[in-house]
Amino acid sequence: MNDKALRILEYHKIISLLVDKASSAPGKELCQKLTPMTDISEIEEAQQQTADAFTRLVKDGRIHFSGNKDISFSIRSLEIGSALSAVELLKISTSLACATRAKAFARPERDEEITDSLQEYFANLEPLTQLQNEINRCIISEEEIADDASPTLKHIRRSIHLTNEKIHNQLTNMVNGSYRTYLQDAVITMRDNRYCIPVKSEHKGNVPGMVHDQSSTGSTLFIEPAVVVDLNNQLKELALKEKEEIERILAELSASAGEHTEELANNYRLLTKLDFIFAKAGLAVDMNASRPLFNQDRYINIRRGRHPLLDKKKVVPIDISLGKDFDLLVVTGPNTGGKTVSLKTVGLFALMGQSGLHIPALDRSELGIFTEVYADIGDEQSIEQNLSTFSAHMTNTISILKNADENSLCIFDELGAGTDPTEGAALAIAILKHLHDKGIRTMATTHYSELKVFALTTSYVENACCEFDVETLRPTYRLLIGIPGKSNAFAISSKLGLPDEIIASAKEHISEEDESFEDLLANLETSRRTIENERSEIQSYKAEIESLKKKLEQKQERLDAQKDKILREANEEARKILQEAKDVADETIRDFQKVNVNKASIQDLEKARTKVRDKISEKNAKLATTPEKPTHKILKPTQLKLGDMVKVVSMGLKGTVSSKPDAKGDLFVQCGIIRSRVNIKDLVLINEDVLSGTAAYKKGYSSTGSPKKSSGGNIGMSKAATISMEINLLGKTVDEALSELDKYLDDAYLSHAPSVRIVHGKGTGALRQAVQQHLKRVSYVKSFHLGEYGEGDSGVTIAEFK
């Protein structure tokens, strides 16, 4: 790619962002050298590596290669057998530690097996753990070798320590003893790496030893006392031995490292490459970029593309296509409307994509492969070269026309500007036609109406415009392909306050053709906005309908599921009830059979029958529905008086109050011949009944004359209407009589009869005795007695209910 296009399209700024993402000096250097490629296989490989690194960053987090040091010189030194310094060996250790971390990053805790394009890079890394540990054990820092690096070094340093102590002890005794008066200060100092004491010059002869230095004034001499000369000599010898031992240790470590020069060189190359690849992925993460699709047909289809150097929170995404339905795109519109940004976005995306970088656009955006990208954007006038704006642009354009071919992408900003509009427009049309005839993919911006007409009348040439809101005098920065732009100069001037008469005068200087063309553009723009708004509303309605449809389907699914569940539970419950009823029936039949076979007593049979009745009552209680809340006004005990006419709501009957409510609110109501015990909450005073036809209600009929219907009332009234106050048991056996009597007593009690007459006859008295024994066991029978004179005497029993 030509350097001028890279500079104009600000490719170097993208590279600067990429360099910042690399964490090692070699990685940054590799990023700095990145240039666009033209081989599609190399581009696809680079894009795949960036995509795989992007995936790893998202799943496993960041990875740093700061430990990757440039050890290329050290590797060459090792290859010729040279010993390395402590600094160079530490760099090797740091690089090996970086390889270890990278290796661990490639093996996440997830069980899934990773087989992307980077796995081979990670797999080929050799941490050389033993060499790394040995270097770290021997070398503490760039200036310090560990005492445990070797036994000899440890012994030497111990001797140095003991010798130092001896020297300090000797000198301390001198400083604090008889020599104190000869000293300038009671201190021990170093001169030429030998221990000395500061002696006053006038007492030089009193302190035997070697003079190593004197103060600037000459009043103080730094003398090495004779008593420590041998010790200082020993210390010097030990220091030389220490240096020799350190050199030997470094030589051994270098020899060990020299056995792995190939692995070290390979690690350096792989870590640098990985740092470079992950820098590209990190830039893609920051830009929210995606991998573009490439084609060799040189067509471009950018979906929601954002210029990478603009704030991604503020920039307006654009859709651009070029090369498939048309190979020349003419972009028009007012200044600062986004035309130049659109040009730079296309050019920069082409450069980034061919460099293996992701582009800040939606996925499945497509880019062509171009051998060259040419751009003429901005003002490049030069005083030194005596070039005006037009001349500078034309010089650049001539160079582009000379070198561009069908595999090039050409971008022009304000083509033909800077000169006479008529000639400039003619030149622009001729240049674009030349490029169009050669099949070169071209984008150009212009203000000339002639170029709009050229685009409208030429095949495979398309207009585009950058939308402008005249009401707010602000561009929307949206690129609209297929619509020529309108300059809006008159509308903008009017909004800014230019007098109407000046604008009217300006319009008179425009030819009818130009004015008609501008009016046509205005009408097209109005129609486009109307259609766009309607399309937006339709999309909104579609989305709303789809949402409602999904909600309805989900609701129907829930209802179907609930219905199925209820049916299953009901069927199961019915099956259980039927099974229990069958079991009870079977048990009852067995009991009766036992009675017939074993001649069991009446008491045993009665117990079995009571047991069956209890089970039935229990099931009825479980199946009973929850009573509805009362809808009438609840009466207070003080509102009721004996003789008041009331209505029993649950029975649908009317009667008179025959007792006062007790503590629980229960009282007796006489309904015709039936005396019922009810709760005050179930009563309504007749004078509060707002329904019409009171007389009809008193007879048990509705106001329309038809029989009154009410829940609970039907049962009570049907029982009261059909039950007889007397049962005749004459001619029946004891078992038959008691079975019929039991059912009769239940019905009579449910109908609220106060008492019944049981005819059993006199005979032998066996039936009378069985009846009275049975009445004793019935819980709701209050009392019973034989009939009096006129009632049947001893042939009849009168039973009264509770």
Side-chain angles (χ1 to χ4, degrees), residues 91 445 498 514 518 551 560 568 751:
K91 282 185 178 181
T445 65
L498 188 67
D514 290 340
E518 290 296 322
K551 289 180 179 179
D560 291 342
R568 284 196 306 271
S751 66

Side-chain angles (χ1 to χ4, degrees), residues 559-577:
L559 289 176
D560 291 342
Q562 291 175 358
K563 177 183 176 182
D564 293 341
K565 181 180 178 182
I566 292 170
L567 287 175
R568 284 196 306 271
E569 292 176 351
N571 289 331
E572 182 65 21
E573 185 66 22
R575 188 191 65 78
K576 289 180 180 179
I577 292 172

